[in-house]
């Protein structure tokens, strides 16, 4: 009897665990699916949903970072496209062809572009404006067309190291480079805040735990766990249909 009761208790606990886990998985994936639906609507008619867009070089309130490009913030930090994989930054979609929507420096720092980077740059900020005791990096990518033709401004050729750039300087243009010409991504800018290792070099941006929540840096709700559906725009701007 005791063994039977313990088994029933174990099965009940397992059921509760699966139920709760399924609920949270649905919440996370469900929000990402809803964002995909909203992004599709915006891409089909950006003018109709203009109230969902952010604007390049805008500063939201007292936030330390400028908005780096025009468009709709389609995906947020922490979005889950599949279980076990979380989005490391934000994706801002311009709604045009590659090479048309400018991308700018969000905060002054020191720019590096490695020799093999066709679509990416990274900018070191020695003193995080929110946590001055640490160093952070701003990582920009997808600034090339589907074939890998760079859309980064020629002022920053491959091999650029530690070149100081002011906030608001043009970096390049949104692109759709994925590394595979047959499977381009949608035209957008991927932006993430990357942490430093013990030697002061940037960590691997592909690992979520090496990145920081960009919400306070932009003054926008950019954390997928906190923003389940709304379009992130500066306070006071409209989000309703028709903008």
């Amino acid at each position: 009897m005791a063994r039977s009761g313990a088994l029933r208790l174990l099965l009940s606990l397992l059921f509760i665990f699966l139920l709760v886990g399924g609920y949270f998985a649905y919440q996370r994936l469900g929000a990402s699916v809803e964002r995909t639906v909203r992004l599709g609507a915006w891409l089909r008619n950006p003018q109709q949903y203009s109230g969902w867009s952010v604007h390049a070089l805008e500063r939201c309130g007292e936030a330390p970072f400028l908005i780096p490009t025009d468009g709709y913030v389609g995906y947020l930090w922490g979005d889950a496209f599949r279980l076990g994989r979380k989005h490391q930054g934000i994706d801002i979609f311009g709604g045009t062809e590659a090479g048309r929507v400018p991308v700018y420096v969000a905060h002054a720092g020191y720019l590096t572009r490695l020799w093999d980077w066709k679509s990416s740059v990274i900018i070191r900020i020695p003193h995080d404006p929110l946590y001055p005791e640490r160093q952070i990096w701003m990582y920009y990518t997808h600034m090339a067309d589907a074939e890998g033709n760079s859309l980064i401004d020629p002022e920053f050729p491959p091999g650029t190291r530690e070149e100081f750039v002011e906030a608001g300087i043009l970096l390049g243009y949104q692109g759709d480079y994925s590394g595979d010409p047959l499977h381009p991504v949608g035209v957008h800018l991927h932006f993430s805040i990357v942490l430093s290792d013990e030697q002061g070099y940037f960590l691997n941006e592909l690992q979520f735990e090496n990145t920081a929540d960009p919400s306070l840096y932009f003054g926008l709700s950019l954390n997928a766990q906190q923003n389940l559906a709304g379009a992130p725009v500066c306070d006071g701007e409209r989000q309703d249909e028709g903008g």
Side-chain angles (χ1 to χ4, degrees), residues 3 22 46 88 100 210-211 224:
R3 180 175 297 178
Q88 316 95 299
R100 293 192 176 183
N210 293 338
T211 62

Side-chain angles (χ1 to χ4, degrees), residues 22-23 35 54 64 131:
Y23 170 76
R35 265 189 275 279
V54 294
Y131 306 97

Side-chain angles (χ1 to χ4, degrees), residues 14-66:
L14 179 61
F15 175 76
I16 293 171
F17 173 79
L18 292 173
L19 188 65
V20 171
Y23 170 76
F24 284 109
Y26 171 79
Q27 268 202 326
R28 177 166 292 178
L29 292 174
S32 299
V33 170
E34 183 171 344
R35 265 189 275 279
T36 299
V37 172
R38 287 170 64 89
L39 173 60
W42 187 89
L43 289 172
R44 286 191 295 274
N45 195 339
Q47 288 73 33
Q48 180 180 355
Y49 302 101
S50 59
W52 295 359
S53 299
V54 294
H55 308 291
L57 303 180
E58 179 179 40
R59 190 184 304 275
C60 298
E62 300 298 319
F65 284 10
L66 300 175

